[in-house]
Amino acid sequence: MVNPLAIKLSCLYSRLPSSEAELKLEQIFQNILALQRRIKVEEDFFSLGGHSILAMKLAIEIKKAFDRSLAVNQIMTGANIEKLAEQLQLQSLINQASDDAGFDTTFIIRQAKTKPVFCIYPGSGLAWQYSVLNRYLHPDISLIGLQSPRPNGALVYSQTMKELIDHQLKQVLDIQSDGPFTFLGYSLGGTIAYGLADRLQGLGHEVAFVGLLDTYPAEIHDWDMQNADAVTEEAEQEQIQFFNQVLDGADDVLNEEKDSLQDYIFANYRDAVRLLSQHQTSSYAGKIHVFVADQSLPDYIQPLENWQPFVNELEVIRLPEASHENLLSPEQLTTLGPLLNDYLSQVYQLKDAKHEA
């Protein structure tokens, strides 16, 4: 069980910059503010001595270092290293999408000391939402997102969920050749994570953690009665909410690029439904952790009863304020993030990050 005190304390920890973007931003902050010390990612530019004129200099230096611009209001409302790095990363991803037909299948969220947590895409085919976990997870934990780019991603050409899992298994083993393996999957990503854990265990590998974010056995849904328009509408709401959250304050050009991505995302959702509607869940001789978004949980889903027949061990974690659509939003991650940090720090046998700060 998770220690409630540990959860509260883990929310308070600070961390130093770790990603390439964060380290570049730290150097910019140090130069502009004439600071010799290290700067923690959550420290506000203005509380460190910045003001409006220096903020304009900050915008100029960011443009020089990253070859992309942030709107002034993005700097004014997100003036710390962590938030600025997230904005730059998302802008880079969207710019890639406007230049290219798809994204990379592997999305490096954070390179650190541990073997990676594989963060697996939901129906959108994108793993961007996991980026916010940087804010909550112990700084030694590596994070890798798996994605399904169009037009040649695994979601597009797989005829069955088994084929999709086969493809992702090869990708995972190309990145990490032996266990223990750690997985986190949201929605469709949870189904893939579960399948990967089962396959790897069958190959003799150790699986250390399987976290399913609002994911349930596919066969409990009445897919034959699913209305395609309703599915598309649900996808629209989830993605519009996501884009509005992560691109709040973006300029007009960035918002136009955002709009151009939505057809890409909805097409991936349709392929996800196609695969899930014919999938049968296998038994897994291991433990899974199921994180339940209570706000949107349909009456016909009973997480404990639905999963127990398939697994040796099950832990269900209820999130009373979360819905399926906002589970990985920055707001909900203030609750989910520390929970995941506690579980994953135990998996990797890391000291609580509060001791590291």
Side-chain angles (χ1 to χ4, degrees):
M1 292 294 292
V2 176
N3 184 333
L5 179 60
I7 293 172
K8 288 182 181 178
L9 289 170
S10 66
C11 294
L12 302 176
Y13 84 82
S14 299
R15 68 175 177 87
L16 293 171
S18 57
S19 69
E20 181 181 355
E22 288 175 347
L23 290 167
K24 280 186 181 180
L25 285 166
E26 181 187 27
Q27 186 171 22
I28 292 171
F29 273 43
Q30 288 169 331
N31 291 342
I32 291 175
L33 299 170
L35 292 176
Q36 302 300 316
R37 68 170 177 86
R38 297 296 307 274
I39 301 172
K40 295 189 175 168
V41 294
E42 75 280 4
E43 291 188 85
D44 184 82
F45 178 78
F46 298 102
S47 68
L48 291 169
H51 48 70
S52 57
I53 295 175
L54 288 180
M56 296 303 296
K57 184 171 177 58
L58 177 61
I60 292 168
E61 293 303 315
I62 287 173
K63 172 66 174 175
K64 288 180 186 175
F66 295 93
D67 194 28
R68 61 185 68 98
S69 301
L70 291 180
V72 173
N73 58 340
Q74 286 177 281
I75 291 175
M76 294 298 183
T77 60
N80 67 42
I81 290 169
E82 184 172 61
K83 290 181 180 177
L84 291 172
E86 287 173 4
Q87 289 285 354
L88 286 162
Q89 184 180 52
L90 288 162
Q91 189 179 87
S92 175
L93 287 166
I94 288 179
N95 287 341
Q96 287 175 37
S98 65
D99 295 337
D100 193 3
F103 305 145
D104 290 336
T105 56
T106 302
F107 169 32
I108 305 298
I109 301 170
R110 182 166 74 190
Q111 291 181 305
K113 296 179 180 179
T114 68
K115 289 184 175 181
V117 180
F118 287 99
C119 302
I120 305 174
Y121 57 89
S124 66
L126 304 175
W128 299 4
Q129 287 152 295
Y130 293 103
S131 297
V132 188
L133 290 177
N134 269 322
R135 188 179 303 175
Y136 298 102
L137 298 189
H138 192 290
D140 286 349
I141 296 175
S142 300
L143 298 165
I144 292 181
L146 302 186
Q147 304 197 126
S148 178
R150 300 190 79 84
N152 298 315
L155 270 175
V156 180
Y157 63 72
S158 295
Q159 297 303 306
T160 64
M161 186 64 69
K162 180 182 180 301
E163 186 179 340
L164 178 66
I165 292 167
D166 286 344
H167 175 82
Q168 305 298 176
L169 178 66
K170 182 181 183 304
Q171 184 180 1
V172 166
L173 289 173
D174 283 345
I175 295 168
Q176 181 183 327
S177 60
D178 58 2
F181 291 90
T182 303
F183 296 107
L184 196 60
Y186 169 39
S187 193
L188 168 71
T191 302
I192 299 170
Y194 180 90
L196 286 169
D198 183 33
R199 293 291 305 282
L200 286 163
Q201 189 182 71
L203 292 171
H205 293 289
E206 180 186 353
V207 178
F209 182 83
V210 184
L212 309 186
L213 305 179
D214 216 37
T215 302
Y216 309 99
E219 53 268 49
I220 71 171
H221 302 287
D222 193 355
W223 296 103
D224 289 340
M225 298 184 67
Q226 289 279 357
N227 182 289
D229 291 337
V231 172
T232 302
E233 183 179 351
E234 179 183 340
E236 283 186 15
Q237 292 305 312
E238 180 178 330
Q239 292 307 312
I240 287 170
Q241 181 177 17
F242 167 59
F243 279 121
N244 286 343
Q245 287 163 341
V246 298
L247 296 178
D248 183 35
D251 57 24
D252 291 341
V253 172
L254 196 55
N255 276 309
E256 287 175 10
E257 291 168 347
K258 170 202 74 174
D259 292 339
S260 72
L261 284 178
Q262 290 187 347
D263 286 344
Y264 170 110
I265 288 167
F266 300 152
N268 270 343
Y269 266 92
R270 288 189 290 272
D271 283 320
V273 170
R274 171 178 58 82
L275 296 175
L276 286 167
S277 64
Q278 54 182 312
H279 182 56
Q280 294 293 311
T281 304
S282 61
S283 295
Y284 172 54
K287 180 176 181 178
I288 64 172
H289 296 74
V290 180
F291 296 81
V292 178
D294 274 330
Q295 285 286 317
S296 60
L297 190 69
D299 292 339
Y300 68 87
I301 294 180
Q302 302 296 323
L304 193 65
E305 291 81 354
N306 293 149
W307 273 117
Q308 272 182 331
F310 295 101
V311 299
N312 273 14
E313 192 175 353
L314 169 67
E315 185 169 347
V316 174
I317 303 97
R318 311 298 292 238
L319 302 169
E321 304 302 320
S323 69
H324 184 80
E325 292 76 19
N326 70 15
L327 184 57
L328 283 180
S329 69
E331 292 79 11
Q332 289 303 323
L333 277 166
T334 60
T335 299
L336 177 59
L339 278 170
L340 290 172
N341 180 59
D342 195 75
Y343 280 111
L344 293 170
S345 292
Q346 290 178 42
V347 166
Y348 291 111
Q349 299 182 338
L350 298 169
K351 293 180 180 179
D352 191 278
K354 66 182 184 292
H355 300 306
E356 307 287 318

